[in-house]
Amino acid sequence: MTADADNKNGVKSSGTARYLLALVPLIVFACIALAVGKVMYDQEVHGTDISAIPSALIGTRAPKLALAPLEGSNLPALTDDAIKGKLTLVNIFASWCIPCRDEHPVLKELAKDGRLNIVAINYKDTNENALRFLGELGNPYNAIGIDPNGSAAIDWGVYGIPESYLVSPDGTILYKQVGPFTATSLKEGLYPAIEKARGKSAS
């Protein structure tokens, strides 16, 4: 009787463990679905911009820049000297990034703005592909540094490219754009940040 009871208890506990194990994927899926649902609800009901991810770097000194140049671009390397004393937009891009391609015409227009110095970090790319990208779409940058292993992007707290950072003439990060610039993000984000920076530098 004791052996039978032990066998039954063993089978019962084994069945319970399998049941609980089967529930784990469902629980994980439910958590993900709730998170995604909340983001979509906030975007739809409250107008939350899901690209407006806050950065812990805003208000702090920009990470040190000492990146090798994009060979063949005839542009200088991306170093601290390339942005020192200038209101600068640091853009992270790659030739394989479709949203980067969509954003590029906006950057070319921004390059016409005399208030801005636009530079780039070429992220996990090859020289050949990056040069082809710029040759096809045009070059809005005054300096380009290559980041073949993504270490510089980590220093800048990059979530995913394209991303852009507005850096003040004294090297402080003022604004961050996650994803490609849109008419809304320009109007409500970058342009006000530029005006605010210019106001401070003039005072």
Side-chain angles (χ1 to χ4, degrees):
M1 292 289 292
T2 304
D4 287 345
D6 288 344
N7 286 337
K8 287 180 180 179
N9 287 337
V11 170
K12 189 175 182 179
S13 61
S14 176
T16 302
R18 282 199 299 270
Y19 175 75
L20 292 175
L21 197 60
L23 281 178
V24 170
L26 292 174
I27 293 170
V28 171
F29 177 78
C31 291
I32 293 172
L34 283 171
V36 172
K38 184 181 185 310
V39 170
M40 293 179 69
Y41 176 83
D42 287 344
Q43 186 179 17
E44 184 69 26
V45 176
H46 301 299
T48 303
D49 183 0
I50 59 173
S51 70
I53 301 174
S55 172
L57 294 179
I58 291 177
T60 67
R61 297 285 296 180
K64 184 175 178 60
L65 288 169
L67 302 179
L70 177 64
E71 294 294 341
S73 67
N74 298 318
L75 292 172
L78 184 53
T79 65
D80 288 338
D81 286 341
I83 70 170
K84 186 176 180 181
K86 306 168 187 173
L87 182 61
T88 300
L89 188 69
V90 180
N91 176 251
I92 294 89
F93 84 100
S95 63
W96 47 261
C97 165
I98 301 302
C100 296
R101 181 175 290 270
D102 295 338
E103 177 185 61
H104 211 71
V106 177
L107 296 176
K108 287 180 67 179
E109 284 301 310
L110 287 173
K112 299 174 183 177
D113 189 331
R115 302 173 297 175
L116 270 185
N117 171 44
I118 304 181
V119 299
I121 296 174
N122 184 224
Y123 176 74
K124 292 187 176 181
D125 212 345
T126 67
N127 271 34
E128 182 182 351
N129 289 340
L131 290 173
R132 186 181 300 114
F133 178 92
L134 295 173
E136 179 185 344
L137 301 179
N139 174 36
Y141 306 118
N142 293 316
I144 298 177
I146 59 171
D147 187 22
N149 60 10
S151 58
I154 292 173
D155 292 340
W156 283 78
V158 172
Y159 288 96
I161 63 172
E163 287 192 10
S164 299
Y165 300 78
L166 184 67
V167 182
S168 71
D170 68 3
T172 302
I173 295 179
L174 304 174
Y175 170 80
K176 175 179 181 177
Q177 168 67 23
V178 178
F181 280 112
T182 64
T184 300
S185 63
L186 289 173
K187 181 180 178 182
E188 299 180 0
L190 181 62
Y191 291 155
I194 291 173
E195 288 302 323
K196 185 176 180 181
R198 283 171 57 81
K200 283 185 177 179
S201 62
S203 60

